[in-house]
Amino acid sequence: MLRNYFLIAFRNLSKNKAFSFINIFGLAIGMAACLLILQYVSFELSYDNFHVNKDRVFRVNQDRYDKGKLSTQWAGGAFAPGSAFKADVPEVEDFVKLVPAGNALANYKDEKIVIKKDFYCGSSFFNIFSYPLLSGDPKTALVEPNSVVISEEVAQKLFHSTEVVGQTLTLNTTKLLKITGVMKSMPANTHLSFDILQSYSTLLKENPPRDGNNLDNAWYSDGCTTYLLLKPGASPKTVEAKFLPIVKKAYQQFASSGASAIYTLQPMPSIHLYSNRMFEIQPNGDGKSVYLLLGIAIFVIIIAWINYINLATARGIGRAKEVGVRKTLGSAKTQLVTQFMLEAMFLNGLAVLFAIAFIAICLPILANIAGVQIGFALFAKPGFWAAVIGIFVVGTFFSGFYPAIVLSSFKPIEVMKGKLTASPKGIVLRKGMVIFQFAASIFLLIGALTVYRQIQFMQSQKLGVSIDQTLVIKAPLVKVDSFYRSMSAFKQESLKQPSIKSITVSTSVPGEAVGWNAGGIKLTGAADATADQYRIIGGDYDYLTAYDLKLLAGRKFSKEFSTDPKTVVFSKTGVRRLGFDKPEQAIGKRIDFWGDVYTIIGVVDDFHQQSLRDTYDAIIFRCIPDVRGDVSVKINSTNVAQTIAGLKTTWDSFFPGDQFDYFFLDEHFNDQYKADQRFGQVFGIFTVIAIFVACLGLFGLVSFTIVQRTKEIGIRKVLGASVNGILQLLYKDFALLILISFVVSAPLGWYAISKWLESYAFRIGINPVLFIVPFLAVLIIAFATVSWLSVKAALTNPVKSLKTE
């Protein structure tokens, strides 16, 4: 019997090749899109789930307040909390501190590489996190000063081997570190990835206590990321409550300045998708975007299943006589249901095979667009095949059950008399499913258009700072006898090239968070309670001019004034924070800055130091002639390669053996938008797929409608109706469905994009264009789909239509 069922299914597929192709192709596209998105979402949700203690590891987040107002949310905050919380909170089993060490030049004999992920790390690191060592003892690897654990990749590049425990690694030509361990390559789905880990005791050795101040116990020095391992069963909320008296006591010394802090615990697995704080160890993802893509996956697969239902019931009219004959010959309804369910299983099985083929073809493209490491190893993952089986089983039942019930319910007497009519309830259900399809399509188009326009808006806005034709050379790593003398000579020699306009050195460049954060700054003579927190950029005399920051009042730094190292320039937001309504009011005022006094000589307009996600910062510019930092070179756009070659030659002569690592600032700045751009591209691609699959569903409904109204069309033509008149008749019904879809989707779209845009400090306004364009696009696409079949039906000879009676 089963063999007979499958044989009938195969014959029906062969007999109706167009319908079969549309059904299988639509299902396959929907399945492939859904599976691809599910793998991407699964990857994003899997961050840090491989750690054995993942449910007990929490990062200590710091919210810094000034005079009761939230000033900064830190991922890497003060140094003291780890040891303080471990000593006074019984629920804390262990802790580890991570402190970025900056870029470093590592070498062994003749091999030399630049280390970009270098951290000082506490000795309990391997007790808390599940990063296995290929060699070395995890209990002692990070205990002694001047010890280091290196990654498998660094070991291979420098030593061409992983058996290197006991060897000596040199950093920046002078710092000698003993290798005590080699870490196995880290998985891609972790928010913690390192090249080397220096022992935390090395940092303390390099920064001994001064004037009674111990770095390890500092509550107001930022830059240390702390993780706690809680005891089994410990409540994070209970632990957080016990932080309050400890922090309050520690901050009594800052009470007069109005400074305070609140410490909270963030579960480690949530960091990647739900954290965007200062001092993140690496850029994180966006939970809203991930779940929005998951919604698209669900929409696409449901739309594909709805297509099957509409197409199967549309074809059912043509199979009515088959059902009638089979029932007359004694077939039970359960047998017919079984037959149609097996047909659905057969068709879904073929669709799965095509979907896997589509995935194999599209996987590299998606990985490139989405920027995630999803390779062909995907096919070896049990989770992938579980998803495939799940979609196949659910799809077979969901897409096959309703058509099976409908087709098996045909009454043989009515079929044989040619009086078969569509059920009013069935028509309503099919139209309802099409409304859902196009409501989903319009919703997705509204979202895709919003993402596109927001990205275009951010990239087209004036930044208030000149970043064009700027080449940035990363700060020198190797120590020289006199950095100021070497850098001055480099600048002087390089400026001899006619293609170089200016050179400046600074602690920060546009496109990245300002790493220097200073609190306790106030007007000289003002009460301590007025002290506030500011971002600090240290630059040489040329910084403000080179970046063309607009001067609102006063003057910029100049070598003509020997006192400028004791002066500062504020941003517009900065002087407002000081309490001045007009920039001119701040000129000549003096501020207390970490025990010293500086005079305000100028105010520049606000500018976008980072992307338009962020508000304007309150920035203070300090003139530091011998500042160590990145070197910004303004160049002409002609002969760029020759200019870079000249810069490298000059660099090598004044900083021999050092890195010459450079990037173009406009590209670096736009890198901030890569995640948004990738999300927009992925969103757009799958939105197009959803609309395409929805149109296949509309094709099914149009086919069904035309079959039902064949005789009506024939009669109308005999009575003189024109082709245009018949088309308008058919268009009217489908236009109403699209209109209802818009009414359903528009409010949902408005709510969704409102929530998404909230994460941007500078954003587009929500205007009617964001809704009208998607509606018109879907309407045009739908009419094109309807026209393809309707024109054919309208042009058919009415004699043929009436012969079917």
Side-chain angles (χ1 to χ4, degrees), residues 21 376 394 444 547 586 668 686 738:
F21 172 78
F376 289 106
V394 175
L444 294 176
Y547 276 109
H668 177 69
F686 288 108
I738 304 298

Side-chain angles (χ1 to χ4, degrees), residues 27-39 293 296-297 300-301 355 358-359 366 391 685-686 689-690 693:
L27 269 177
I29 289 291
M31 288 177 176
C34 180
L35 287 168
L36 282 171
I37 296 176
L38 286 178
Q39 297 314 304
L293 287 174
I296 293 177
V300 169
I301 193 64
F358 290 152
I359 290 172
L366 176 68
I391 286 178
I685 288 170
F686 288 108
I689 290 173
V693 176

Side-chain angles (χ1 to χ4, degrees), residues 276 284-286 288-289 454 458 608 610-616 672-673 675-677 679 756-763:
N276 184 28
N284 289 324
D286 183 356
K288 289 181 182 178
S289 299
Q454 175 63 20
M458 291 190 296
H608 294 287
Q610 291 182 262
S611 77
L612 273 72
R613 277 185 178 272
D614 306 297
T615 57
Y616 290 127
Q672 298 175 100
Y673 301 124
D676 292 313
Q677 289 172 329
F679 171 68
W756 184 77
L757 287 171
E758 283 178 0
S759 60
Y760 295 89
F762 298 87
R763 52 185 178 263

Side-chain angles (χ1 to χ4, degrees), residues 504-515:
T504 184
V505 186
S506 59
T507 56
S508 297
V509 296
E512 60 189 27
V514 178

Side-chain angles (χ1 to χ4, degrees), residues 133-167:
L133 292 180
L134 296 176
S135 56
D137 185 350
K139 295 180 180 179
T140 61
L142 291 170
V143 173
E144 297 296 325
N146 297 324
S147 59
V148 65
V149 173
I150 66 176
S151 69
E152 183 178 355
E153 290 77 11
V154 170
Q156 290 291 353
K157 288 177 182 178
L158 278 181
F159 301 93
H160 307 290
S161 170
T162 57
E163 299 298 324
V164 294
V165 171
Q167 298 280 7

